[in-house]
C-alpha cells in the first residue's frame, strides 16, 4: 500500500492510493484516487454574542470551517454519507474541537497574527489552587477581624452560633446547587450571572445579574471602608484629618470618606494598568490571611491576662486615655492604680480620681441601707482582666446571654455617660445577620475560574464545598473561643476603645501586628478582586444586549479591558464609600448577594423538577428539596435582616425583569423557564380536556383563514387581521392560517417566506397568537384539514373567521367557501363570515355610530357576545348597540319586546331593543324574477359542463340564447336589484354600493310568468327531504332573503356594522351555488356585514 501526496498549493491537494500488495496479480490491482479540492479558508468572523450558541461552542457553526468539496471515483467507506460530509464536520474534527474547547476571548475583534499562531494554553490548575484557596480568600477577611467579636458579645454565644450557622447553611446549600449547575456543562464567562441567565432565562438573568453586579460594586466599598477603619483606628490614628478618632464616630466617618476615596482611586489605577498585578497581590494577601487565622488560634490557647480594663458596675471605660487606664497585671491579677496621697493628682481607674467623680456624680450611687449601714455610696471602679483566655471556665457562661442595645446605650434602657463605652449602632438578632452575612459570600470564585481549571467538573464542587466547610469550622470555633476567652464587656466594645486596640489583634499571638497587617492586606486584596470582577460582570450583561442603555459598557476600547464598565463601577463604589459605615453598607451588600443565591437555588430546583434531557450534572449529591430549602432560607434572611432593604431589592429586580420582558429579549438559551412553560401548558391542556368549558369561561378562540396572493404572498384581505385583533382585544387564542396549493416538497421555500410575511402582518396588527402556512394539493381539502387539526387539546380554536368571496361568480370561488362552511359545521365550531371586509376600520380608527344585531334564530348567544367584545376595543368603543328581532304574524310583538329587554338586561349588555314584524308570506313578482334568473344561470352552468367535444359545437348557441333570455328578463327588474357579476374592486372609484330605498313591488307580467314556467318546468325535481319541488324551495328561500333584506336595509342602512345569522348551506351539493345567491341577496345594499353561525353550544349566560 502506498500513499502519495501531491501538494501543489494550499488550495488543492491530490491523493493517490495504490494497492501494491505482493502476491496479487497485476490485473487485479485496483487504483483508488480521491481528489480533494479545498477552498482556502478565510478568516472567520467573530462569533456574534447574540446567537443562541454565543458561548463559542464547537457545535455552533460546523459549516464555517471552509467549503470542502470532493469527488469519489470509486466506492469509499463513507460514500453513502457524501452529501452529509460536505455540510457537517467529520467525527475526528468534532472531537478535536471538543477537547481543545475554550470560552470566547475577551476581545475577539482584536487581530493579532502572532497570537493567533500560538497554541492555546491548556489549563493546569486543580481543585486546591484553582478553587479552594481563592474561595477561602474571598470568604475570610473583613468581618472576622472587625466585627465577629462584637457580634459574639452582643448576641451571646448561643445566638451568635445560630447566626453563623444559618448564614453558613445558606451558602452551603447554594454551593450544592451551584455545583450541580456548574457541572452540567461548561460555564464560560460571567460566573453566577451565566448560570442564572442560561437556566432561568434572559429576564431573570438580566435582573439578578444587575443586582449581583451592584452587590459586587458595594463589596468594593465595604472592603475599602474596612481597610480605612483598620488604618485610622488601630494602625495610624495620627493620620486623622479632623481630630481624635477614638470615641468620635462622626470624626471617623469623615476621615473614612476622604481616605476611602483616595484608596478607591488607587485600587482603580492598579486594576486599570493590568489584571496580573491584582493576581500577584492576591497571592500575598492569601498568605497573610492564613497566617492571621493561625495567630488567632495560637493566641486563644495562651493566656492574655496582662491586659486589664477599667469598669464601673460592669461597664468598661475608654482605656485609651491615661485618665482611666489600669496598670498592667501583676501575678496574673489586675490591681487599681497606687494612691499617692494627693487626691487632686489621683488618676487612672480609681475611686479617688476626681474625673470619675465629676463624670458620675449623683448617677452611679447605690443604696446600701442594711442592718449595719445606711445611706448612699459610689460604685467604685474596678480593674479586671479583659482577655483572661480559656483558663477561666466561667467566661463562656457569662457570655451566653444576649445584650442587644440601642444606639448610645450601655445596658438595655440605660444610656451611657462620660467615658463609658456605649453602643455605636442599634443591634438585634436580625441586624446582626445582615452585618455578618457578607463574611460568608465569595463562594462563586471557583465557578468564575472554570476556564482555567484542568477538570472543572470535579474541581468546582470539591474546592467550593471544601472551602465552605473550612470557613464554617473557623467561624463556629471562633464564636466559641471568643465567648470563652474574652470578657463580655470587652466583646461588646465595637472599636476596642476600652483596650486601645482591636480585640482580635490583642488576642493574637505573638503580636497584634499580625492581625492588623494581615487584615489590612486581606481587605485591600478582596477589594481588588471585587473591583476586577464587577466590570467584567457588567460587560457580560451588556454584551448580551438585554438592556439597550448598557451597550456602551460592553465595549473594550483599551487592550480588551472593560474600561467603561470599570468607570461605572468606580462611581457606584464611591457612593458606598460616602456612606462611610461598614455596618450600614453590609446589609445592602447582603441583600444583593442573597438575591443572587436565591435564584441559583431556584435554577437548580427548576431544572431538577423539569427533568430536562440536557440536565445531566456530574455532581450527584444534590436534591431539589435542598435547593428549595436554600432558596427559602435566602429569602427569609433577606426579610429578617432588613425587610425594607429586601423590598427595595425585590422592587428593583421586578422592574428590571418587566423592562426586559416588555422590550422583548430575543434570546434562546434553552433556559428552564421555557421548560416550565411547556410543563405548565401541558398540565393546563390536560386539565382543560377533563371537562367541557362552562359558558362563563367561553371566549372566541379564533382560527383566521387568510388567503394569500399567489405571487407576492401577502394577504389578499389584510383588514381581516385588523378585525381579528379588534375582536380579541389581546385576549385569548388567535391562529392565522393560510393554504398554498401544491406539494409541500415543492413549496418548502415559499412556505417559509409566506410564513415570515404573514407573521409580519400579524405583528403589525398586534395579534397575540400564532400563524401557519400549509401546502395542500387541493385548497379546499387543505382548508378542511386546517379546520379539523388546528390547535391542541383544550386550546383548539372554537371559532373560524373567513372573508366572503366577493368575486364568487367570476372565479368560481364559492366551492372552497361552502366546503369550508360545511367543514366548520361538521366539527361543531362557530363561524364568522365578513362581507365587505375592505371597508372595515383599521386599528387606528375610532368610530361612532350603531352596531346592529339582527337576531333571527338562537345560535347559543354568539350573536350577542360578538358586539360586546368588539365594543371593548378602542375602535368600536363609542358605538351604540341595537338589537333587532323578527316576529312572525302569530307572535305577540309587545310581549316579545318586553321579554327581550329583560333578557338583555340580565345579560348585563347595554343595548336598544327592537322587535320587527315580518310581512306576509305572499311572494312578490320580484322574488319570482330573481329566482328565475338564478335558475337560468344554473342551467347555463350545467350546459357549460358538457364534454369537451360537445362543448366545442354547442357553446356558442348556449351563450347566445342565455344572453337573449337575460336581456329580456332584466327589463322587468328594478335597476337597484339587478344582479351584477362584478365584485367590489370592479366598482368605480372603489366605492361600496349606495344604500337603496325600498321600491314598490313590481307586478309579474304575463311574459315573465310564462318564461318562468317554461324555464322551471324542465328542471323540476322532487325533494326527498321536504316533499316540495326544488324550484318551490328556491322561491321560498329567495322570498325570505328578499324580505329580510328589505327590513335590514330600511333600518340599518346607516349602521357601522350589521350582524345577522348565517343560514345553513343546502343539503344537496348540486344546489350550493343557489346558497351563495341567497346570501348575496340577503346582504345586498349593506356595506359591512358579519354573518354569524354558532357552534351549537351556549356561549353566554345570565348567571354569575
Amino acid at each position: 500500500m502506498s500513499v502519495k501526496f501531491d501538494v501543489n498549493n494550499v488550495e488543492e491537494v491530490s491523493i493517490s492510493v495504490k494497492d501494491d500488495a505482493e502476491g496479487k496479480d497485476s490485473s487485479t490491482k485496483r487504483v483508488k484516487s480521491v481528489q480533494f479540492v479545498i477552498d482556502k479558508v478565510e478568516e472567520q468572523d467573530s462569533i456574534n454574542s447574540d446567537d443562541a450558541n454565543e458561548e463559542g461552542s464547537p457545535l455552533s457553526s460546523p459549516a464555517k470551517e471552509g467549503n470542502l468539496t470532493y469527488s469519489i471515483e470509486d466506492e469509499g467507506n463513507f460514500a453513502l454519507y457524501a452529501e452529509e460530509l460536505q455540510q457537517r464536520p467529520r467525527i475526528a474534527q468534532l472531537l478535536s474541537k471538543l477537547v481543545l474547547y475554550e470560552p470566547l476571548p475577551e476581545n475577539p475583534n482584536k487581530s493579532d497574527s502572532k497570537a493567533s499562531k500560538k497554541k492555546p494554553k491548556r489549563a493546569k490548575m486543580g481543585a486546591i489552587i484553582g478553587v479552594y484557596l481563592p474561595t477561602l480568600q474571598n470568604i475570610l477577611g473583613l468581618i472576622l477581624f472587625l466585627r465577629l467579636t462584637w457580634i459574639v458579645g452582643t448576641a451571646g454565644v448561643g445566638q451568635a452560633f445560630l447566626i453563623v450557622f444559618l448564614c453558613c447553611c445558606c451558602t452551603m446549600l447554594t454551593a450544592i446547587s451551584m455545583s450541580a449547575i456548574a457541572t452540567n456543562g461548561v460555564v464560560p464567562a460571567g460566573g453566577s450571572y451565566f448560570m442564572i441567565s442560561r437556566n432561568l432565562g434572559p429576564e431573570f438573568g438580566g435582573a439578578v445579574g444587575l443586582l449581583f453586579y451592584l452587590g459586587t460594586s458595594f463589596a468594593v466599598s465595604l472592603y475599602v471602608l474596612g481597610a480605612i477603619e483598620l488604618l485610622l483606628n488601630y494602625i495610624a490614628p495620627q493620620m486623622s484629618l479632623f481630630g481624635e478618632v477614638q470615641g468620635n464616630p462622626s470624626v471617623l466617618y469623615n476621615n473614612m470618606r476622604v481616605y476611602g476615596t483616595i484608596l478607591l482611586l488607587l485600587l482603580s489605577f492598579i486594576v486599570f494598568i493590568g489584571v496580573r498585578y491584582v493576581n500577584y497581590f492576591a497571592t500575598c494577601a492569601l498568605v497573610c490571611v492564613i497566617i492571621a487565622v493561625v495567630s488567632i488560634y495560637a493566641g486563644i490557647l495562651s493566656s492574655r491576662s496582662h491586659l486589664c480594663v477599667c469598669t464601673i458596675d460592669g461597664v468598661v471605660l475608654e482605656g485609651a486615655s491615661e485618665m482611666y487606664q489600669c496598670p498592667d497585671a501583676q501575678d496574673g491579677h489586675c490591681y487599681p492604680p497606687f494612691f499617692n496621697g494627693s487626691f487632686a493628682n489621683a488618676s487612672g481607674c480609681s475611686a479617688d480620681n476626681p474625673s470619675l467623680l465629676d463624670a458620675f456624680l449623683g448617677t452611679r450611687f447605690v443604696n446600701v441601707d442594711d442592718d449595719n449601714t445606711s445611706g448612699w455610696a459610689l460604685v467604685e471602679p474596678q480593674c479586671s482582666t479583659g482577655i483572661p483566655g480559656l483558663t477561666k471556665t466561667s467566661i463562656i457562661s457569662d457570655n451566653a446571654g444576649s445584650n442587644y442595645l440601642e444606639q448610645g446605650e450601655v445596658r438595655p434602657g440605660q444610656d451611657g455617660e462620660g467615658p463609658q463605652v456605649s453602643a455605636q449602632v442599634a443591634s438585634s438578632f436580625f441586624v446582626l445577620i445582615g452585618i455578618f452575612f457578607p463574611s460568608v459570600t465569595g463562594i462563586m470564585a471557583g465557578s468564575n475560574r472554570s476556564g482555567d481549571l484542568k477538570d472543572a467538573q470535579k474541581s468546582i464542587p470539591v474546592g467550593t464545598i471544601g472551602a465552605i466547610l473550612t470557613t464554617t469550622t473557623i467561624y463556629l470555633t471562633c464564636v466559641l473561643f471568643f465567648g470563652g476567652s474574652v470578657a463580655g464587656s470587652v466583646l461588646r466594645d465595637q472599636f476596642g476603645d476600652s483596650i486601645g486596640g482591636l480585640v482580635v489583634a490583642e488576642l493574637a499571638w505573638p503580636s497584634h501586628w499580625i492581625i492588623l497587617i494581615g487584615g489590612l492586606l486581606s481587605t485591600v486584596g478582596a477589594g481588588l478582586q471585587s473591583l476586577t470582577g464587577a466590570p467584567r460582570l457588567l460587560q457580560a450583561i451588556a454584551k448580551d444586549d438585554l438592556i439597550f442603555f448598557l451597550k456602551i459598557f460592553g465595549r473594550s476600547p483599551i487592550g480588551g479591558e472593560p474600561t467603561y464598565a470599570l468607570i461605572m463601577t468606580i462611581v457606584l463604589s464611591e457612593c458606598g464609600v460616602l456612606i462611610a459605615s461598614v455596618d450600614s453598607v453590609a446589609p445592602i451588600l447582603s441583600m444583593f448577594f442573597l438575591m443572587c443565591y436565591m435564584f441559583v437555588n431556584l435554577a437548580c430546583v427548576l431544572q431538577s423538577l423539569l427533568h430536562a434531557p440536557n440536565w445531566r450534572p456530574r455532581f450527584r449529591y444534590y436534591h431539589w428539596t435542598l435547593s428549595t430549602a436554600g432558596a427559602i432560607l435566602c429569602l427569609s434572611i433577606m426579610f429578617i435582616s432588613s425587610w425594607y432593604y429586601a423590598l427595595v431589592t425585590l422592587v428593583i429586580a421586578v422592574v428590571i425583569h418587566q423592562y426586559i420582558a416588555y422590550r422583548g429579549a430575543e434570546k434562546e438559551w434553552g433556559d428552564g423557564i421555557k421548560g416550565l412553560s411547556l410543563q405548565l401548558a401541558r398540565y393546563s391542556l390536560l386539565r382543560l380536556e377533563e371537562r367541557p368549558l362552562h359558558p362563563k369561561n367561553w371566549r372566541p378562540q379564533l382560527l383566521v383563514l387568510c388567503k394569500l396572493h399567489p405571487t407576492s404572498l401577502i394577504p389578499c384581505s389584510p383588514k381581516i387581521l385588523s378585525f381579528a385583533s379588534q375582536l380579541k382585544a389581546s385576549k385569548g387564542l388567535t391562529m392565522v392560517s393560510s393554504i398554498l396549493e401544491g406539494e409541500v416538497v415543492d413549496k418548502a421555500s415559499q412556505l417559509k417566506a409566506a410564513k415570515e410575511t404573514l407573521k409580519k402582518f400579524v405583528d403589525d396588527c398586534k395579534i397575540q397568537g400564532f400563524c401557519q402556512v400549509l401546502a395542500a394539493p387541493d385548497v379546499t381539502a387543505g382548508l378542511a384539514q386546517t379546520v379539523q387539526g388546528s390547535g391542541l387539546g383544550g386550546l383548539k380554536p372554537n371559532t373560524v373567521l373567513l372573508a366572503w368571496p366577493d368575486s364568487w361568480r367570476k372565479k368560481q370561488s364559492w366551492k372552497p367557501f361552502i366546503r369550508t362552511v360545511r367543514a366548520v359545521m361538521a366539527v361543531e365550531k362557530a363561524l364568522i363570515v365578513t362581507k365587505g371586509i375592505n371597508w372595515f376600520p383599521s386599528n387606528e380608527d375610532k368610530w361612532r355610530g350603531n352596531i346592529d344585531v339582527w337576531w333571527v334564530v338562537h345560535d347559543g348567544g354568539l350573536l350577542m357576545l360578538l358586539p360586546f367584545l368588539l365594543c371593548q376595543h378602542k375602535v368600536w368603543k363609542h358605538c351604540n348597540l341595537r338589537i333587532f328581532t323578527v316576529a312572525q304574524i302569530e307572535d305577540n310583538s309587545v310581549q316579545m319586546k318586553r321579554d327581550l329587554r329583560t333578557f338583555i338586561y340580565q345579560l348585563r349588555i347595554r343595548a336598544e331593543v327592537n322587535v320587527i314584524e315580518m310581512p306576509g308570506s305572499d311572494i312578490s313578482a320580484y322574488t319570482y324574477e330573481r329566482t328565475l334568473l338564478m335558475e337560468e344561470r344554473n342551467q347555463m352552468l350545467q350546459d357549460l359542463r358538457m364534454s369537451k367535444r360537445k362543448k366545442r359545437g354547442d357553446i356558442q348557441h348556449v351563450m347566445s340564447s342565455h344572453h337573449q333570455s337575460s336581456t329580456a328578463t332584466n327589463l322587468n327588474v328594478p335597476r337597484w336589484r339587478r344582479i351584477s357579476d362584478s365584485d367590489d374592486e370592479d366598482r368605480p372609484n372603489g366605492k361600496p354600493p349606495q344604500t337603496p330605498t325600498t321600491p314598490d313591488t313590481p307586478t309579474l307580467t304575463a311574459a315573465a310568468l310564462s318564461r318562468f314556467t317554461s324555464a322551471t318546468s324542465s328542471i323540476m325535481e322532487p325533494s326527498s327531504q321536504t316533499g316540495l319541488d326544488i324550484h318551490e324551495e328556491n322561491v321560498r328561500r329567495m322570498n325570505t332573503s328578499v324580505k329580510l333584506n328589505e327590513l335590514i336595509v330600511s333600518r340599518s342602512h346607516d349602521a357601522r356594522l350589521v350582524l345577522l345569522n348565517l343560514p345553513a348551506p343546502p343539503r344537496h351539493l348540486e344546489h350550493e351555488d343557489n346558497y351563495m345567491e341567497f346570501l348575496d341577496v340577503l346582504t345586498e345594499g349593506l356595506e359591512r356585514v358579519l354573518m354569524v353561525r354558532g357552534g351549537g353550544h351556549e356561549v353566554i349566560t345570565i348567571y354569575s
Side-chain angles (χ1 to χ4, degrees), residues 176-496:
I176 293 174
S177 301
M178 182 196 69
S179 299
I181 297 175
T183 58
N184 191 49
V186 180
V187 179
S192 59
Y193 163 70
F194 180 90
M195 290 187 291
I196 295 173
S197 61
R198 269 56 176 181
N199 285 277
L200 292 181
E203 294 84 1
F204 285 102
V208 181
L210 278 179
L211 292 179
F212 189 60
Y213 164 72
L214 292 176
T216 309
S217 300
F218 275 93
V220 178
S221 307
L222 182 71
Y223 295 131
V224 168
L225 293 176
I228 300 302
E229 183 176 321
L230 279 170
L231 180 66
L232 295 179
N233 272 345
Y234 312 112
I235 298 178
Q238 63 275 11
M239 292 180 61
S240 175
L241 301 175
F242 306 101
E244 182 65 29
V245 174
Q246 292 287 345
N248 297 307
S250 60
V251 175
L252 175 63
Y253 294 155
N254 291 330
N255 280 278
M256 291 177 72
R257 292 185 179 97
V258 175
Y259 285 109
T261 302
I262 296 174
L263 179 59
L264 177 62
L265 294 177
L266 178 62
L267 298 180
S268 304
F269 177 75
I270 296 175
V271 173
F272 180 78
I273 61 176
V275 180
R276 60 180 181 274
Y277 300 105
V278 177
N279 296 329
Y280 295 154
F281 191 86
T283 304
C284 178
L286 177 61
V287 173
C288 294
V289 169
I290 295 175
I291 294 176
V293 171
V294 173
S295 69
I296 292 175
Y297 282 99
I300 290 173
L301 298 177
S302 64
S303 175
R304 315 293 294 169
S305 57
H306 69 278
L307 187 63
C308 299
V309 293
C310 181
T311 63
I312 292 182
D313 197 15
V315 179
V316 293
L317 304 184
E318 295 178 359
S321 173
E322 296 181 358
M323 187 68 68
Y324 314 115
Q325 281 185 347
C326 290
D328 290 339
Q330 299 177 6
D331 302 328
H333 299 282
C334 293
Y335 298 98
F338 178 73
F339 182 62
N340 57 8
S342 174
F343 180 78
N345 296 326
S347 64
C349 186
S350 172
D352 300 326
N353 188 341
S355 298
L356 289 178
L357 292 176
D358 294 339
F360 299 105
L361 183 60
T363 59
R364 290 295 176 267
F365 287 89
V366 295
N367 191 352
V368 293
D369 190 9
D370 53 26
D371 297 337
N372 299 322
T373 60
S374 61
W376 297 84
L378 176 66
V379 177
E380 295 186 1
Q382 297 179 354
C383 286
S384 59
T385 304
I387 307 178
L390 295 177
T391 57
K392 190 173 182 180
T393 58
S394 62
I395 293 294
I396 192 169
S397 60
D398 296 338
N399 294 332
S402 61
N403 290 273
Y404 298 115
L405 305 174
E406 296 294 330
Q407 186 175 2
E409 291 183 347
V410 294
R411 283 193 180 91
Q414 178 182 333
D415 294 334
E417 300 180 14
Q420 286 182 318
V421 177
S422 59
Q424 301 295 327
V425 293
S427 59
S428 66
F429 179 81
F430 304 142
V431 171
L432 295 185
I433 289 180
I435 293 176
F436 177 76
F437 189 82
S439 65
V440 297
T441 59
I443 63 175
M444 301 290 184
S447 63
N448 293 337
R449 293 168 175 253
S450 60
D452 300 327
L453 301 176
K454 184 178 181 180
D455 186 0
Q457 309 291 325
K458 180 180 178 181
S459 299
I460 290 178
V462 173
T464 303
I465 295 178
I468 293 176
L469 289 175
T470 302
T471 54
T472 300
T473 303
I474 293 174
Y475 282 134
L476 292 177
T477 54
C478 283
V479 169
L480 298 177
F481 288 154
F482 290 165
S485 60
V486 182
S489 57
V490 177
L491 288 174
R492 289 185 290 275
D493 185 3
Q494 186 174 1
F495 296 105

Side-chain angles (χ1 to χ4, degrees), residues 166 222 241 257 403 561 589 609 629 650 697 710 714 721 878 991 1073 1080:
L166 285 176
L222 182 71
L241 301 175
R257 292 185 179 97
N403 290 273
E561 294 295 324
L589 181 64
L609 293 180
L650 289 176
N697 297 324
I714 63 174
L721 299 177
H878 301 287
K991 296 182 179 180
D1073 47 357
D1080 208 4

Side-chain angles (χ1 to χ4, degrees), residues 51-199:
D51 194 46
N53 295 312
E54 64 185 296
E55 290 80 29
S57 170
L59 303 175
S60 58
S61 301
K64 292 184 180 180
E65 291 297 322
N67 297 325
L68 182 63
T69 60
Y70 54 91
S71 60
I72 300 180
E73 298 178 2
D74 201 355
E75 295 181 359
N77 292 334
F78 296 100
L80 182 62
Y81 302 98
E83 295 183 0
E84 286 80 358
L85 290 175
Q86 291 182 1
Q87 300 177 355
R88 302 185 181 277
R90 292 185 296 109
I91 299 299
Q93 295 176 350
L94 177 64
L95 293 177
S96 64
K97 288 183 182 181
L98 289 171
V99 172
L100 298 176
Y101 168 68
E102 284 192 350
L104 284 177
E106 292 183 359
N107 188 17
N109 296 325
K110 184 179 179 181
S111 59
D112 190 350
S113 58
K114 295 182 179 181
S116 61
K117 295 180 180 179
K118 294 181 180 179
K119 295 183 178 180
K121 185 178 180 181
R122 301 296 301 274
K124 299 294 184 181
M125 290 190 296
I128 301 298
I129 302 299
V131 181
Y132 178 79
L133 292 179
T135 305
L136 197 71
Q137 178 190 3
N138 278 268
I139 295 177
L140 294 176
L142 177 66
I143 303 298
L144 173 63
F145 301 134
L146 293 182
R147 292 294 183 269
L148 188 56
T149 55
W150 171 68
I151 291 174
V152 174
T154 303
V157 176
Q159 294 188 26
F161 192 91
L162 180 60
I163 290 172
V164 174
F165 182 76
L166 285 176
C167 294
C168 291
C169 281
C170 180
T171 54
M172 175 58 73
L173 294 175
T174 304
I176 293 174
S177 301
M178 182 196 69
S179 299
I181 297 175
T183 58
N184 191 49
V186 180
V187 179
S192 59
Y193 163 70
F194 180 90
M195 290 187 291
I196 295 173
S197 61
R198 269 56 176 181
N199 285 277

Side-chain angles (χ1 to χ4, degrees), residues 740-853:
L740 295 182
E741 187 172 5
E743 295 293 341
V744 63
V745 177
D746 303 329
K747 297 287 184 179
S749 59
Q750 292 186 16
L751 289 175
K752 184 177 181 181
K755 185 175 181 180
E756 294 178 355
T757 304
L758 187 60
K759 180 63 177 175
K760 183 179 182 301
F761 276 87
V762 168
D763 294 339
D764 292 342
C765 293
K766 299 180 180 179
I767 296 178
Q768 295 182 356
F770 313 97
C771 61
Q772 62 178 357
V773 181
L774 306 177
D778 181 65
V779 175
T780 303
L783 291 173
Q785 294 296 329
T786 302
V787 171
Q788 295 180 71
S790 296
L792 180 64
L795 287 184
K796 285 187 176 181
N798 55 27
T799 305
V800 178
L801 175 64
L802 72 159
W804 171 265
D806 294 321
S807 56
W808 65 273
R809 289 190 181 90
K810 277 188 175 182
K811 302 178 181 179
Q812 297 294 311
S813 58
W814 52 270
K815 285 188 177 181
F817 173 80
I818 297 182
R819 302 295 167 82
T820 304
V821 173
R822 291 184 182 277
V824 173
M825 293 176 57
V827 295
E828 297 183 345
K829 297 181 184 293
L831 177 63
I832 303 175
V833 179
T834 62
K835 188 176 182 183
I837 187 63
N838 294 329
W839 290 277
F840 273 65
S842 62
N843 288 335
E844 289 72 27
D845 297 330
K846 292 184 180 180
W847 280 13
R848 296 179 181 271
N850 297 322
I851 299 178
D852 290 353
V853 177

